[in-house]
Each structure stands twice: as structure tokens, then as C-alpha cells.
Amino acid sequence: MSCGLLWLALADLGQAWLRSGLAVLAIAAAILAAAFFAGEVQLHQSEVLASYEAAGAATFVVQLNGVGDDEIDDLAGSARTISDVTSAEAPYSGIGSNIAVDTSFLVFRNERQQEYLGARTSVLGVDRSFDLARDYYVDLHQINPQAPQIVLGMPLLVATGEARPPGPHEVLVPSGVADYVGVQPGTEAIIDFVYSGAGEPVIRRFDGLRLIGTFDMAGPDQGRFEPFWRFNALRQDVLTVRAEAARVGITSLPIIVSVELFRDFLSFVANELTYRGSAAALLPPRDQVVVRANAIGNVPTAEAAVERLLRDRGLNRECDEQRGRSFCLRLPERNNFLSALQEQNKIGSSGAFFVVLLLILLSIGAAGLQVQTVLSRWRDYGILQAVGFTPGQVLIYYGFQFAVVLSSGIVIAAIASVPLSTISATSLVVAAGLAALAAGLSSLPVLFWPVWRLPAALLRDAA
């Protein structure tokens, strides 16, 4: 009886092939549209996260107080062993250390005199694993004591030359400085480190450094440096002229040198202070470790692991007023993981709204088609029950027809999606499942509607 009933349902469905075929095509189109739109939403979310991650959204900054220089290297090394951490960098920065740098280039020479053009900037000492575009962060409070303690990421984007950290005898300079002097990568530079935190400045010169590239800094101090002109006679400095109006004070715009060169200067300063009878402790230590998680979503886990590491080393978390051996975890003011997740959720919410709207339209269409089918076959419902079919068998009869139409639409959508690379198998399966659920829930009440009526009432209504 069941096989015969299903065969009869198929034969009846074949007689109305035009309407059934159009319904199948409409369902297939709706599934493809939902799958395509869901795939595009996922792709856009991935692109947004990738762009945020490239800009440093997976990064957080550990600010330290009362921690020795060697211990900071040890902490950074331990942080790198955490599974959710990709890198941990502890660069040397002139900001907050009373260290500036005069970078100059030879522009004229003869046997008696030499002339140089250059600029005073901050300085950054990095190792070979430092990511120029993602690992430079500045506490604005160190530049301006009136500013709040806000950590701002400042990508260093290589403009010309080699896009890598410099070696011991190499240097990277801002493109504005290079353009001012008129030099290209390959030129020899002279660098004068200046420490002004203990009375008379401590100065040491490093010459013969090869300029390997220039960079643009994405930050408020891009192009903010102090130019100068220096005159030498018989290889001795005679005169240095700085424009008083061009003095900028502390700037976040650095030149980039190797960590070995920076440490060489720090050792020189410590020896000089000892020779003067001053305490070498006047030289401020590093106070920052830049930690990057392996994914934006893993930043909270990485933060928790780093905090456990620091607490195990005897450091206390104090962000309002750091004192003693303490630390504070800070997110960058811009391009942090919270902004990335909010942007991702915003895209997901917008995409979900349109997918739900599409499913609602599919539900309305499926329900409307089923209503049309029921009304056109109203008398048939009464006849089937009058000749002995139970309400359950009638429901199976027309429910099977609906299932065949829906399944055919899913199969056609699956076949049509094969050449479409923008539709993934996961998106198609999810879209087909949601479409089947939406169409089924909207059509089920319509299928039950006629079987709740008595056969005599059905025949009387159709007369």
C-alpha cells in the first residue's frame, strides 16, 4: 500500500510538471543565492581579520617597571615559548631614555673641509626578528606628560631599499630625512648618539654605517625631525647649525639601528657615568615587550598566559601607577583585537540579516506554492479520504510530493555549484539545510490544513 501510494504521488507530480519544475528551479536558485552570500560574508570576514592582523591587531604591549635589562630578554624568550604567542620583541627605544640621535650624510668635501646635512630624531634598536610594520609601539605619555597613557602602534613601512631590520653596521632612516639630505640606499651615514639624562650630554659617534633603506612612519610624528648643517675642517667638527624654529623636542620618529649598536652605546654611557662619579642606574632600562599572538581570536588566551608568566616571576599587575616590580598589559589604541572582532561581528550580523531575509522570502514562496496546490486539489483531498485513505496517508501523499520537489531543488543547486569556486561545500550544505528547514516549517501547516477537515466538508466546499 505504501509503495503504491508513493508511486501514485510521483505520477500525480509528473502531471503537474511545469509547476513542479518551476518550484524546483526557484528552490535551487534560493539555495545557491544563500550559499553564495554566506560564502562572501565569510570571505569578507577573513579579509578583514587578515588586514587587522597585518596592522598589528593580534598584538598587545607589556609595560614593565623595575625589571633589569637581562631579565627582560629572559621574559621575552619565555613568552615566545607560549603556544598562543608568535613573537615577543623587546626593542630599545630612545623615547623615555633621554637618548636622541643625530644622523648626518656627507654632501660636500675637498682636501680641507667637509659639509654634512642631517637630522635629529629618536632611535630604535632592534634585532633580526623585529617586524618593522607591526612591532613599533609608543606610549604617548612618554612623549607628552600631559597625555594619557595610550599605546599607539606606528607601522614603519619601507619605502626604498631593503625591507628588513639592519645589521650591526647598517641603518634605516625615515624617508623625510633621506629626501631632505638627498641620499639613496647604499650611502654611508654618520650617527651621533646623545644621552642627556645626567647633566652634560654623553655623545658617541659611529661612522661608516651603510644606509640599507628608508621608511615612512604611519604616525603623528611622520616628518617631524630637527634638521641641521655641520661644517668640518681638517676632519674636525667646527660648526653645527640648527634652526631654532625647527626644534621639535621629543619625537616618536626614529632611525633604526641594530640592537648590538644600541647596547654598545649603553655600555659606553655606563662607563662614562662611572668615570664621572655618577650612578650608572641613571640610565633608564627598557620598559616594553611587544607580544604578538598567533591569531586575533587567541589574544585573550595569550594575555592570560603572559600574565601568569609575569606573576610567576614575582611581578604585580599595576596599571594606574607602576611602582616596584610591576607590569601592565595594554592594548594598542587603534587596530587592536577588540576592534577586529567588532568589525567581524558587524559584517556577520549584516550578512545574517540578508540571509534570514532570503530564507523568509523562500518560506513565503514555499507556503504560497503549497497553498495554491492545496486549493487546486481541495476536492482530491475529500475523494482520497472518501475511498478509504486515512488522513495520515493523505498527508504522506502530498508531503512526499513536497519532499521530492525540495530534494530536487537541493540536488540541482549542488550540481550547479560545482563550477562555482566562490561557493564552498560547507556553505552549500548549511544553505540547503536552512532552506529545507524554512520551507518545511512554512509548508507543514498548509499540509495539515485539509486533513483536519471531514471528507464530506471537503467535497461540499469544492462543489
Side-chain angles (χ1 to χ4, degrees):
M1 181 66 180
S2 298
C3 292
L5 181 65
L6 299 180
W7 180 256
L8 180 63
L10 287 176
D12 188 21
L13 191 63
Q15 290 182 349
W17 63 270
L18 181 59
R19 181 173 57 190
S20 302
L22 292 176
V24 167
L25 293 178
I27 292 173
I31 293 174
L32 287 174
F36 175 79
F37 197 80
E40 287 297 308
V41 169
Q42 292 177 351
L43 178 62
H44 192 40
Q45 285 181 318
S46 300
E47 291 175 347
V48 167
L49 285 184
S51 64
Y52 267 93
E53 190 164 344
T59 302
F60 59 95
V61 177
V62 182
Q63 291 187 321
L64 300 168
N65 186 69
V67 180
D69 200 68
D70 292 339
E71 188 177 0
I72 287 181
D73 286 331
D74 183 51
L75 286 173
S78 299
R80 294 187 189 102
T81 63
I82 298 174
S83 59
D84 292 316
V85 172
T86 297
S87 67
E89 300 296 330
Y92 287 89
S93 175
I95 302 173
S97 300
N98 298 310
I99 297 174
V101 163
D102 287 340
T103 307
S104 58
F105 300 88
L106 179 66
V107 294
F108 174 79
R109 64 182 296 176
N110 57 29
E111 64 278 4
R112 301 184 61 184
Q113 67 184 50
Q114 300 85 37
E115 296 182 24
Y116 299 85
L117 283 178
R120 172 165 291 189
T121 63
S122 181
V123 59
L124 192 65
V126 302
D127 59 19
R128 293 302 181 92
S129 62
F130 187 84
D131 190 322
L132 298 173
R134 294 192 287 189
D135 288 343
Y136 182 43
Y137 289 84
V138 175
D139 185 350
L140 297 183
H141 183 71
Q142 293 182 338
I143 298 177
N144 180 9
Q146 305 301 321
Q149 286 192 315
I150 294 176
V151 175
L152 189 63
M154 299 185 184
L156 306 175
L157 309 174
V158 174
T160 61
E162 302 179 47
R164 62 173 176 83
H169 303 289
E170 298 171 333
V171 64
L172 281 163
V173 304
S175 58
V177 174
D179 293 341
Y180 164 70
V181 179
V183 294
Q184 298 291 331
T187 308
E188 284 194 359
I190 299 174
I191 293 178
D192 292 311
F193 278 82
V194 181
Y195 173 63
S196 56
E200 182 181 351
V202 179
I203 302 174
R204 185 175 184 187
R205 175 168 295 179
F206 298 90
D207 54 14
L209 300 181
R210 187 171 69 91
L211 177 62
I212 64 169
T214 65
F215 62 87
D216 294 320
M217 185 183 75
D221 286 343
Q222 166 65 14
R224 189 167 175 259
F225 56 86
E226 292 184 7
F228 65 85
W229 171 81
R230 187 171 68 241
F231 175 76
N232 282 19
L234 301 178
R235 300 187 180 277
Q236 297 294 322
D237 291 351
V238 175
L239 178 65
T240 300
V241 179
R242 303 177 189 271
E244 192 66 30
R247 293 191 179 273
V248 297
I250 301 176
T251 177
S252 60
L253 181 68
I255 69 160
I256 305 173
V257 299
S258 68
V259 67
E260 294 86 358
L261 193 68
F262 205 110
R263 284 173 175 166
D264 189 354
F265 175 69
L266 292 180
S267 298
F268 176 80
V269 172
N271 293 334
E272 180 66 20
L273 293 180
T274 301
Y275 176 77
R276 294 180 183 180
S278 302
L282 291 174
L283 190 63
R286 285 177 291 175
D287 62 353
Q288 184 186 90
V289 177
V290 179
V291 181
R292 186 165 71 249
N294 53 22
I296 289 177
N298 293 339
V299 172
T301 308
E303 282 186 321
V306 170
E307 181 170 351
R308 285 195 300 271
L309 169 66
L310 296 172
R311 290 188 183 278
D312 290 343
R313 299 296 181 90
L315 279 73
N316 298 318
R317 182 166 185 169
E318 295 183 10
C319 292
D320 295 333
E321 183 180 352
Q322 286 190 281
R323 53 194 172 186
R325 287 174 55 82
S326 61
F327 71 92
C328 181
L329 303 182
R330 297 190 186 276
L331 291 177
E333 182 67 14
R334 299 179 301 186
N335 294 328
N336 56 53
F337 85 98
L338 293 176
S339 300
L341 295 180
Q342 288 174 359
E343 187 70 18
Q344 184 189 39
N345 292 336
K346 187 186 301 182
I347 295 172
S349 299
S350 301
F353 171 78
F354 287 104
V355 170
V356 169
L357 183 61
L358 183 61
L359 293 176
I360 290 175
L361 294 176
L362 176 62
S363 301
I364 294 173
L369 177 64
Q370 200 60 41
V371 168
Q372 184 184 16
T373 302
V374 167
L375 292 178
S376 63
R377 304 263 180 107
W378 192 262
R379 182 178 177 82
D380 296 345
Y381 278 92
I383 294 175
L384 289 174
Q385 294 184 64
V387 298
F389 285 93
T390 64
Q393 290 174 326
V394 174
L395 186 62
I396 292 174
Y397 180 87
Y398 288 103
F400 177 70
Q401 289 183 343
F402 174 75
V404 168
V405 171
L406 184 60
S407 301
S408 300
I410 294 174
V411 170
I412 291 177
I415 295 173
S417 68
V418 172
L420 302 177
S421 59
T422 56
I423 297 180
S424 65
T426 303
S427 299
L428 183 66
V429 170
V430 173
L434 292 176
L437 181 63
L441 291 177
S442 62
S443 300
L444 195 59
V446 183
L447 290 173
F448 274 103
W449 176 28
V451 298
W452 286 335
R453 306 288 299 276
L454 295 174
L458 293 170
L459 294 173
R460 185 170 57 250
D461 292 342

